[in-house]
Amino acid sequence: MASEETQNVIVAEKALKSFCVEVLHKVGVPSDEANLIVDNLIEADLRGVESHGVVRFPIYVKRIVDGGSNPRPQIRIVRQTRTTAVVDGDNGMGQLVGVRAMEIAIDKASEGDCAFVSVRNSNHFGAAAYYAEMAARRDMIGLVFTIGGINHMTPWGGAEATLGNNPFAVAFPTDRDFPIVLDMACSIAARGKIIVAAKEGTPIPADWASGPDGLPTTDPVEALKGFVLPVGGPKGYALTFTVGLLSTMLSGAYFGSEVTHMYDKTETPQNVGHLFGVLPIASFEDVDAYRTRIGKAIRDMHEAKKAPGVERIYVPGEREHLALQARRAAGIPLGGGVFRELREMSEHFDVPLVASGAA
């Protein structure tokens, strides 16, 4: 039987969101902005993407308290054309900056133009899918790129971390009640998954990371001292490098040796960069015709011959959509270590956090 420290705890979505919003409010984030930030985190947990959910909440709060992030940023456009913009996030929470930048891109594309918005002076912005889906809900294909907030990957053949795992996301509108969404880091596993494993005291697969000695490890604590491994070997390194350049070179955000450590230097602004793009469907194809064709593309995947033991084939984003529906009804399972850390914050900030039960 699992111990209390390792047993999963169920927390209702409303209770978890209320707790996080109130804590952010206590450290100086206005209520409306706090709701937006927390919505991003809670949606990640609802979708089963725990690596970008409330496991990140304590470090976000610590960075605000220590002065590394600005709780009341003045986000502004510093350069623009009809179809492009550069946004300065004023060191605000990445979720706030990310939503504003994607809104600008969508607004610029509302009359049929493709649009791209680059960002500087932001912070870690959570799950990239959140922003790509904003565009998909407007009959646009959403593109999102971001630099990692920690250098924890070496260039191929190197022995020094000079890259993050630099996630990106692409979201396609569909004829279903969910978009097709690719959201991936360029490492075999997101570092957030290793953080979750370290908090829960559970081993990780040997191909996720190496320790500080450069050798593969299943110990998540040692992995956090070492390096994540790129997906696809040298191709993954090249992809990581490319996403990093897209995320920074158009805005003046930090890259490579300029990047500081999100967890270790909590008093230091990070100047994180992002790039947001939108492709309006109607500029290329009749929207109804597009929906018919993408519906067939989904059916082609669903109806493909299955390998032995496989009951169902999914398209990207479909599993997360099903998880969201289930967890919205049943509550969000949090690992014992994550819940314990949130309870410590509950006591420190005098904000209640009540579990619904154990899982």
Side-chain angles (χ1 to χ4, degrees):
M1 187 174 184
S3 69
E4 287 187 4
E5 290 195 350
T6 60
Q7 190 176 29
N8 279 358
V9 177
I10 301 295
V11 181
E13 175 187 357
K14 183 177 180 180
L16 187 56
K17 185 168 186 177
S18 176
F19 164 76
C20 292
V21 167
E22 183 58 26
V23 170
L24 284 179
H25 188 58
K26 286 204 169 189
V27 297
V29 180
S31 295
D32 288 348
E33 285 84 349
N35 272 284
L36 186 152
I37 294 163
V38 174
D39 185 65
N40 178 288
L41 296 174
I42 299 298
E43 182 166 306
D45 278 315
L46 287 170
R47 289 162 53 90
V49 188
E50 290 89 354
S51 60
H52 288 71
V54 295
V55 68
R56 302 282 186 167
F57 188 65
I59 190 60
Y60 288 168
V61 172
K62 180 172 174 54
R63 289 190 60 81
I64 291 173
V65 171
D66 291 353
S69 298
N70 181 359
R72 294 176 176 268
Q74 299 298 313
I75 301 167
R76 61 194 178 95
I77 296 173
V78 293
R79 183 172 184 169
Q80 67 177 321
T81 69
R82 186 166 58 85
T83 60
T84 66
V86 178
V87 169
D88 189 305
D90 193 27
N91 195 31
M93 298 290 286
Q95 289 80 2
L96 291 179
V97 182
V99 166
R100 179 62 186 131
M102 182 52 95
E103 287 175 343
I104 292 169
I106 291 170
D107 287 346
K108 285 181 174 291
S110 61
E111 295 183 4
D113 293 311
C114 301
F116 281 87
V117 175
S118 64
V119 175
R120 69 187 184 213
N121 290 329
S122 184
N123 284 283
H124 187 275
F125 71 2
Y130 187 90
Y131 313 98
E133 288 190 23
M134 289 173 60
R137 289 192 289 270
R138 297 285 297 275
D139 285 333
M140 301 177 185
I141 296 171
L143 307 167
V144 179
F145 307 88
T146 188
I147 194 83
I150 304 167
N151 280 342
H152 51 175
M153 184 187 293
T154 67
W156 191 251
E160 177 185 5
T162 55
L163 293 167
N165 57 2
N166 300 350
F168 66 96
V170 183
F172 297 82
T174 71
D175 62 344
R176 312 296 173 96
D177 59 349
F178 64 92
I180 293 172
V181 185
L182 169 66
D183 181 359
M184 61 173 281
C186 296
S187 54
I188 293 175
R191 191 172 189 272
K193 291 185 177 181
I194 301 174
I195 293 172
V196 172
K199 290 181 185 293
E200 305 311 318
T202 56
I204 60 173
D207 64 348
W208 279 15
S210 61
D213 57 4
L215 298 176
T217 182
T218 60
D219 183 342
V221 175
E222 288 301 300
L224 291 175
K225 299 175 186 176
F227 316 111
V228 297
L229 301 177
V231 62
K235 292 183 179 180
Y237 151 63
L239 180 62
T240 307
F241 185 61
T242 300
V243 173
L245 295 178
L246 285 170
S247 304
T248 60
M249 292 297 146
L250 299 177
S251 65
Y254 285 168
F255 178 82
S257 61
E258 300 165 329
V259 174
T260 59
H261 197 295
M262 174 182 173
Y263 284 80
D264 288 351
K265 296 187 175 181
T266 54
E267 75 289 348
T268 304
Q270 288 205 285
N271 189 15
V272 169
H274 322 298
L275 178 66
F276 301 87
V278 290
L279 305 174
I281 301 297
S283 297
F284 300 88
E285 174 67 284
D286 177 81
V287 173
D288 288 339
Y290 164 88
R291 290 186 181 279
T292 297
R293 296 194 66 219
I294 203 162
K296 179 183 179 299
I298 293 171
R299 290 194 301 276
D300 285 349
M301 299 303 107
H302 283 169
E303 296 170 5
K305 183 178 179 180
K306 299 172 182 63
V310 174
E311 295 183 1
R312 179 173 178 175
I313 295 173
Y314 300 87
V315 296
E318 188 173 5
R319 288 180 183 270
E320 291 83 355
H321 173 70
L322 294 172
L324 184 147
Q325 291 179 313
R327 291 183 173 191
R328 185 150 274 164
I332 298 172
L334 300 178
V338 174
F339 184 72
R340 184 171 61 255
E341 193 169 9
L342 295 181
R343 284 297 296 269
E344 290 172 359
M345 295 182 73
S346 170
E347 294 174 4
H348 178 78
F349 289 103
D350 192 25
V351 177
L353 175 63
V354 180
S356 304

